[in-house]
Amino acid sequence: MALIILVVTFIATLLIGMPVVFAIGLSSIATVLYEGLPLAVVFQRMASGMNVFAFLTIPFFILTGELMMYGGVAHRIIRCSKALVGHVRGGLGMTNVVACTMFGGISGSPVADVSAMGSALIPLMKKEGIDADYAVNVTTYSSLVGALMPTSHNMIIYSLAAGGAVSMSSLIMAGAVPAAMLTIANLLAAYFVARSRGYPSSPFTGWGEVWLSLAAALPGLFIVVIIVGGILSGVFTAAEAGAVAVGYALLLTTLVYRSLTWQHFLMAAAKAAKTTGIVLLLIGISTMFGYLMSIYGIADMVGDALASISTRPWVIFILVNIALFLFGIFLDMAAHILVCTPIFLPIVQHYGMDPVQFGIIVLLNSTIGLNTPPVGAAFYLGCAIGEVSVSQVVRSIWPFMLALWVTLMIVTLVPETSMLVHDLLK
């Protein structure tokens, strides 16, 4: 009965439109009250879930992305991307994909990526006669690569949800090839739609512009080298890497680019504080929810249900992906990782999947939720910037959704895609 109360209350509150964090919290409280436990148990679990030293990395990475966004790095990346691929059919669409990938490596946040790149590129694409639905889809799906980048705070959340069995350095190495694959898939989808709609391309501006724009963007992109090199070489931990990244971002935007004003700094700090608060609240409440799920053996129940369908590993992995996709429709990215990892990680491990590979699969599935209603934070933000209806964007979403699903299936069924770099460097 306690398990029924937990699940039914959670689903019911989601269906009536309650925010995910409150749905998780209320279902946990209802279950604790039914069991006759003191409510202090809820707050103790929340506090223990948030009181993790490694979580210092989260505000550092978030603040780094905000400083880079307000410090003018985005415009330099757009210029570089346009010089590289702007001459291809649907040039601004291709520029969008490359720019979102580059900025995703700096911000590590798909939503921040949509905000920075979308605000600049979506109105420009519309001005040049490109349909708003195409502009929004290109931006929102290209931004998802940021979740696989070294600056992604969601990697840290997965590391916690996996019980510390997966290190940040392992996830950084595992995300390299899937991030490149997803970028290529997005480029192909953008090109396919641009060609079918007859979008024009711009003339090639010459290699001089390519090198000049690249030189202007490289200092901002170098932050990825600092983080990856520092963590993988053992010079500093992930938390220390975040602190170094913030210091570098401040020096770059104030002394080199000289584009970060005091007002922009305050705005970046306020935005980072707000985002950090939301993420940590989700982590704390989801810790209590996960504790209850472990008590009632939900992972074992789901594993038995999947085993009754098939015992072939590849079938189980596909079924797990479908389940993760369905969860992602209703859950925010952080909540999706924290709720689903304890359920499905033991199952896929039983059938031979490495926790590192599963981490990339969870991150990819979580990004799908960012682009699907009714939660879809990146999706709604893109629609708002493009001033286009949700229904219009959804009708033309399938080439980009297909690109993401193809990438996801390759990562799922071909372990080498996520484990090759990891195994080589290890």
Side-chain angles (χ1 to χ4, degrees), residues 22 89 117 214 230 241 368:
F22 296 117
R89 169 79 69 173
M117 297 293 107
L214 184 60
I368 293 176

Side-chain angles (χ1 to χ4, degrees), residues 364-390:
L364 282 171
N365 271 291
S366 300
T367 60
I368 293 176
L370 290 174
N371 266 6
T372 50
V375 178
F379 179 80
Y380 288 123
L381 178 58
C383 291
I385 295 173
E387 297 178 343
V388 60
S389 67
V390 171

Side-chain angles (χ1 to χ4, degrees), residues 135-380:
V136 170
N137 279 324
V138 168
T139 305
T140 55
Y141 274 88
S142 301
S143 69
L144 302 184
V145 182
L148 304 178
M149 292 298 188
T151 52
S152 171
H153 63 270
N154 291 292
M155 286 186 174
I156 304 164
I157 296 174
Y158 173 77
S159 180
L160 164 79
V166 181
S167 66
M168 183 69 178
S169 59
S170 296
L171 289 171
I172 288 174
M173 290 182 283
V177 175
M181 290 171 52
L182 184 55
T183 300
I184 294 171
N186 284 328
L187 284 169
L188 292 174
Y191 179 80
F192 168 79
V193 177
R195 184 165 183 171
S196 64
R197 295 189 180 185
Y199 292 148
S201 57
S202 303
F204 182 52
T205 53
W207 286 106
E209 172 63 16
V210 171
W211 295 119
L212 285 173
S213 61
L214 184 60
L218 271 180
L221 298 174
F222 189 69
I223 199 166
V224 180
V225 178
I226 294 175
I227 293 172
V228 174
I231 293 176
L232 297 187
S233 65
V235 174
F236 38 66
T237 64
E240 292 166 346
V244 171
V246 170
Y248 178 80
L250 282 172
L251 291 174
L252 177 67
T253 54
T254 55
L255 299 181
V256 180
Y257 289 157
R258 298 185 178 183
S259 51
L260 184 68
T261 64
W262 177 248
Q263 183 181 5
H264 285 161
F265 171 76
L266 293 178
M267 292 170 65
K271 184 77 176 293
K274 179 182 177 181
T275 305
T276 301
I278 294 171
V279 171
L280 288 179
L281 180 61
L282 273 169
I283 289 172
I285 292 180
S286 297
T287 300
M288 182 62 204
F289 193 77
Y291 172 70
L292 293 172
M293 288 193 300
S294 64
I295 290 177
Y296 302 130
I298 290 181
D300 294 333
M301 295 179 187
V302 175
D304 293 339
L306 293 176
S308 66
I309 299 173
S310 175
T311 56
R312 295 181 179 181
W314 68 271
V315 176
I316 297 297
F317 297 157
I318 291 176
L319 290 174
V320 168
N321 270 303
I322 294 173
L324 289 172
F325 170 74
L326 294 175
F327 272 106
I329 293 176
F330 300 100
L331 295 177
D332 184 77
M333 192 168 185
H336 183 270
I337 297 169
L338 290 163
V339 170
C340 294
T341 301
I343 297 176
F344 295 106
L345 179 57
I347 297 172
V348 297
Q349 281 186 288
H350 177 74
Y351 288 95
M353 181 179 286
D354 192 284
V356 176
Q357 180 189 359
F358 184 64
I360 303 302
I361 292 172
V362 170
L363 288 170
L364 282 171
N365 271 291
S366 300
T367 60
I368 293 176
L370 290 174
N371 266 6
T372 50
V375 178
F379 179 80
Y380 288 123

Side-chain angles (χ1 to χ4, degrees), residues 111-142:
V111 177
D113 207 347
V114 172
S115 178
M117 297 293 107
S119 298
L121 283 172
I122 291 177
L124 181 60
M125 294 172 74
K126 290 174 63 179
K127 185 178 179 181
E128 296 202 6
I130 294 175
D131 296 322
D133 61 326
Y134 173 78
V136 170
N137 279 324
V138 168
T139 305
T140 55
Y141 274 88
S142 301

